[in-house]
Amino acid sequence: MLLRRPLQTLTLPLLRRHLSATAAEAVVSPAYLLCTDPLSPPYDYLPGHPRPDPKHDEVILAVPRASSGRHLAAKERKVGRVPAIVFEQENGQEGGNKRLVSVQSKQIRKLVDHLGRSFFLSRLFQLQVWSEHAGQGDLVESVRVLPRKVHLHAGTDEPLNVTFMRAPSSALLKIDVPLVFIGDDASPGLRKGAYFNTIKRTVKYLCPADIVPPYIEVDLSELDVGQKLLMRDLKVHPALKLLQSPDQPICSIIGSRAPEQKKSK
């Protein structure tokens, strides 16, 4: 499951061991590199890698908010709006050019419920800021954003506030990407009756904005009892930079406990 080095990173002498001289020089030619280098912009999703589902594409509508404060935030929630902040991205995190807005509580709740909280925070949306409610008046700003944080009420799961980060193509975004485990029905260890131990449910990456993965698939189909997968084993786009130790485990297969022997009388 480890990623192989792209052909572009191989030297010409090494390529000539496996390819004809003409084919090797074609692989490292500037024209080839210009068209196929996955490490250089413009970026695109690679075949076989998860990409955002278009059915969840949605424009989030917002209106400007003059000021912040607990009293004003409570007033916004009473009329069905959620206080939100939009930042520029800087070093993968919130930076300057802050804009205070209010978004529709019902829309944020629907997206979080349909996608799940972790998946909502790893997906880009188009945010439109209008001078009046419900997309009326003048369009103040239309920008692609990443939901950075969402604070939900502990009892009702109603959204209380949201932080968005602008995500132009040039942006590099720090994202906790959710893990989706597949292949459990074929795992030799699980077929023997062992237990699946989940250690990590998200992994932090620095992602170019154009190829933010909605999730990462983790294949369990070859895991036997006593084996584990590490962060280095994840199959991701080579332009993504892992921000955690590659040796951290994400899951393992644990053998079943032996039945307790009956105590002799």
Side-chain angles (χ1 to χ4, degrees):
M1 294 181 64
L2 293 177
L3 285 175
R4 298 179 180 177
R5 286 190 301 171
L7 286 176
Q8 298 95 307
T9 66
L10 302 177
T11 62
L12 188 58
L14 185 58
L15 287 170
R16 282 176 173 158
R17 298 179 189 175
H18 306 281
L19 305 174
S20 67
T22 303
E25 292 186 11
V27 165
V28 297
S29 67
Y32 181 92
L33 297 179
L34 183 62
C35 299
T36 63
D37 187 0
L39 296 174
S40 299
Y43 299 107
D44 197 3
Y45 292 94
L46 297 180
H49 288 246
R51 60 180 64 212
D53 191 337
K55 74 178 182 180
H56 295 301
D57 288 346
E58 189 162 339
V59 177
I60 297 177
L61 301 178
V63 292
R65 183 163 51 95
S67 59
S68 59
R70 183 175 299 178
H71 174 71
L72 292 175
K75 187 177 179 180
E76 287 286 281
R77 296 186 190 105
K78 285 182 179 180
V79 296
R81 296 193 293 267
V82 179
I85 303 177
V86 186
F87 286 99
E88 291 289 348
Q89 73 86 26
E90 186 175 296
N91 297 324
Q93 304 185 78
E94 304 100 87
N97 195 14
K98 180 173 68 174
R99 182 188 293 278
L100 301 179
V101 299
S102 294
V103 294
Q104 298 175 12
S105 177
K106 184 182 296 186
Q107 185 179 29
I108 300 301
R109 175 68 183 269
K110 183 190 72 172
L111 289 170
V112 173
D113 286 348
H114 285 185
L115 294 169
R117 186 172 183 171
S118 296
F119 296 87
F120 173 71
L121 296 175
S122 64
R123 183 181 178 88
L124 302 184
F125 296 91
Q126 192 70 23
L127 178 73
Q128 291 185 354
V129 183
W130 292 84
S131 60
E132 299 179 25
H133 294 292
Q136 299 178 357
D138 298 326
L139 182 60
V140 178
E141 181 180 12
S142 180
V143 62
R144 188 173 63 173
V145 296
L146 170 76
R148 181 72 175 175
K149 301 171 187 174
V150 58
H151 182 203
L152 304 178
H153 188 280
T156 65
D157 282 342
E158 286 295 327
L160 299 177
N161 53 66
V162 190
T163 299
F164 296 103
M165 193 158 53
R166 293 181 180 88
S169 293
S170 59
L172 294 174
L173 307 170
K174 289 183 180 179
I175 301 179
D176 291 312
V177 184
L179 302 179
V180 173
F181 298 95
I182 62 172
D184 53 310
D185 56 338
S187 164
L190 295 179
R191 291 171 69 90
K192 294 174 184 176
Y195 295 101
F196 175 59
N197 179 34
T198 304
I199 302 171
K200 292 287 185 181
R201 296 190 180 274
T202 62
V203 178
K204 189 180 292 293
Y205 281 91
L206 187 65
C207 307
D210 286 344
I211 53 169
V212 171
Y215 57 88
I216 297 171
E217 290 184 340
V218 184
D219 188 2
L220 309 177
S221 61
E222 297 182 4
L223 277 191
D224 209 336
V225 178
Q227 295 182 331
K228 59 186 176 182
L229 291 175
L230 308 178
M231 290 189 181
R232 68 168 72 251
D233 298 322
L234 293 174
K235 183 181 179 182
V236 299
H237 194 291
L240 271 59
K241 180 181 179 183
L242 180 64
L243 298 179
Q244 296 174 265
S245 170
D247 296 321
Q248 285 190 47
I250 54 176
C251 64
S252 61
I253 304 295
I254 302 174
S256 57
R257 297 179 180 177
E260 294 184 3
Q261 294 181 354
K262 295 182 178 180
K263 295 182 180 180
S264 58
K265 295 182 179 180

